[in-house]
Amino acid sequence: MNDRVSESSIPTTQLATPAAAGPLAALVNAGLERGLPANAQAEQALLGAILTNNKAYEHVSDFLQPVHFSNGLNGRVYEAIARRIENGQLADPVTMRGEFEHTGILAEAGGPAYLVELLNAMVGIVNAGEYGRIIHDCWIRRQLIEIGETVVNNAFGGRPELDGPDQIAAGEEALFKLATDKGQDGGFVSFERALIEALGTAEQAFNRTGDIVGLTSGLRDFDKKTGGLHPSDLIILAGRPAMGKTALATKIAFSAARALMREAEEQGGRPAGSVAIFSLEMSAEQLATRILSEQAEVSGERIRRGDIGQKEFDRFVRVSRELQRLPLHIDDTPAISLSAMRTRCRRLARTKGLSLVVVDYLQLMRPAVGTRIDNRVLEISMITQGLKAIAKELEVPVIALSQLSRQVESREDKRPMLSDLRESGSIEQDADAVMFVYRDEYYLQQRQPKDSAFDSPDKYIEALEEWQRKMALVHNKAELILEKQRHGPTGTIPLYFEGQYTRFADLDTVHEDYGP
């Protein structure tokens, strides 16, 4: 079972090593002389088992692909057999001979005798799963050798445009892809498979209680309108400065992390995923203080000044201990590049699982390393496309905060619109959902009447009372304007905003009458 095919049957790519021999070159050359990992006997035994009894295919169909075979001929045989079985047809030496002859596989293998050789190599269908795992393991090892070869070549100057950190990122990217894609480099997905996945999502929604299908945002009305945060979605949260973008994004991230922790506690295990926050504007300490301020109901401003009593400090410490276990990770690297962000997300997904990514905010990011762009609009477009790619690759929702153009301030109604994003390139086009956070209280507060602007005290008092009336209507209220949603309705979601703790919550406008 441990036979290795010869190097003549599996061509190897020679490693470009420097002329000066060294320990590394000697080690690599010694490894290549041993031949690439392969097990020809296991490949033939598996094919023989499937041809003898098609039920053997069920033991390997969920993970073994034609590309995993070290011998290309065996891979083509496996692909032809699998295609026939999945079409509900019998695949045995008699039914397969005509196809093999038509495609030239038999001629390449030396004639019909190869089918006899496969049948003779069969040991038993009960071992088919083990044979498949051996074949797959050898493929993984060959891929690791290829990745290592590329890393060594790049280190010796194979790609001079990449510096050391970029080469580390490229190596990690290749390893992550190997660990997650199971050898698939993309391509078409059959409609049948897509329908099965869609049915699975519908079944999951049917079995869940409530209206949430994806990850909860912690905001009842938002979850009801959107069904929660869905994998592969890029969600843009935009607004003018002081509207509360970071506070709202932090609220959503914290709520998602808490939901993951509660689910893990109910099941008696570790959280199935985690939440990553890339804070390019605020430090990790400042962000943590915001969360603590909200949960402990202690003003963040008073915390920074030290203007809190012993009871408040004790509550602050107690809440911090409760929050320590949350699967929440903060990266406050300033001006992080898209490639570095992708690498760190992959690493977190591989080690702790990843359920949500929050980026605050995308205008502070840099595009992929090595990109030279003079046009800022095109640069932002590349960043949004890259964030969408991360969402699809890792199958997690990505919430990216965005600034708006100043043209909002020139309008009488300062509620943002999609057109306010157009100066930033393809943000609107790339996003699955675009939402704006807006607080009328902020703008109305700036229009407080001044007595010097009126020619009589009565007119000033009248204007002040009218202003106070309007302020009472919008006090502690915010709007989450869902302007675009690719998979559902749009509309405005009312929110409660408590500026003292920079806290967003659901706004209850209707209360049940419980009677006397």
Side-chain angles (χ1 to χ4, degrees), residues 4 31 38 57 77 87 106 108 117 131 138 142 171 209 240 260 268 285 300 306 329 397 406 429 463 495 500 513-514:
R4 292 285 189 264
Y57 176 70
V77 171
N87 286 334
L106 279 185
E108 186 179 344
E117 184 178 346
Y131 296 153
C138 289
R142 292 194 300 273
T209 58
R240 289 293 295 158
L260 291 169
E285 179 187 358
H329 307 273
R406 289 189 177 89
Q429 289 77 13
L495 296 177
Q500 183 180 6
D513 185 4
Y514 293 96

Side-chain angles (χ1 to χ4, degrees), residues 43-72:
E43 294 181 4
Q44 291 185 341
L46 175 62
L47 295 175
I50 298 176
L51 286 171
T52 302
N53 189 333
N54 288 175
K55 289 186 178 298
Y57 176 70
E58 299 175 1
H59 297 291
V60 298
S61 60
D62 61 335
F63 67 90
L64 194 64
Q65 303 292 331
V67 71
H68 297 153
F69 287 76
S70 63
N71 188 314

Side-chain angles (χ1 to χ4, degrees), residues 149-324:
E149 178 181 333
T150 301
V151 170
V152 172
N153 278 331
N154 289 343
F156 279 125
R159 294 187 62 186
E161 74 275 12
L162 298 181
D163 58 16
D166 292 341
Q167 291 184 26
I168 293 174
E172 286 186 335
E173 179 178 351
L175 287 171
F176 180 83
K177 184 177 180 181
L178 176 62
T180 56
D181 71 358
K182 299 180 181 179
Q184 300 303 301
D185 292 325
F188 291 108
V189 175
S190 69
F191 188 58
E192 178 185 9
R193 178 179 171 186
L195 284 175
I196 292 174
E197 293 179 355
L199 182 61
T201 301
E203 182 181 8
Q204 182 183 17
F206 176 76
N207 292 331
R208 283 196 176 190
T209 58
D211 302 313
I212 302 176
V213 180
L215 189 64
T216 180
S217 67
L219 299 170
R220 178 198 58 220
D221 296 334
F222 174 82
D223 287 342
K224 187 174 182 179
K225 187 174 284 287
T226 63
L229 307 170
H230 300 272
S232 303
D233 276 359
L234 173 61
I235 303 166
I236 299 297
L237 174 58
R240 289 293 295 158
M243 288 293 103
K245 296 187 300 297
T246 300
L248 182 56
T250 303
K251 158 73 176 180
I252 294 174
F254 170 79
S255 299
R258 185 168 55 183
L260 291 169
M261 175 58 69
R262 286 177 176 173
E263 183 178 356
E265 290 174 347
E266 291 174 358
Q267 298 176 356
R270 296 176 56 188
S274 58
V275 177
I277 301 179
F278 290 90
S279 180
L280 286 76
E281 189 175 31
M282 299 175 60
S283 69
E285 179 187 358
Q286 291 173 326
L287 211 55
T289 301
R290 278 202 173 192
I291 296 176
L292 281 171
S293 171
E294 175 188 343
Q295 295 302 307
E297 296 188 347
V298 179
S299 169
E301 181 183 359
R302 291 175 57 202
I303 292 172
R304 286 190 296 271
R305 295 200 316 261
D307 183 21
I308 57 177
Q310 185 63 46
K311 289 184 178 180
E312 290 176 316
F313 182 77
D314 291 342
R315 185 166 68 250
F316 191 74
V317 173
R318 185 182 67 255
V319 171
S320 68
R321 289 174 178 169
E322 295 173 355
L323 300 181
Q324 283 177 357

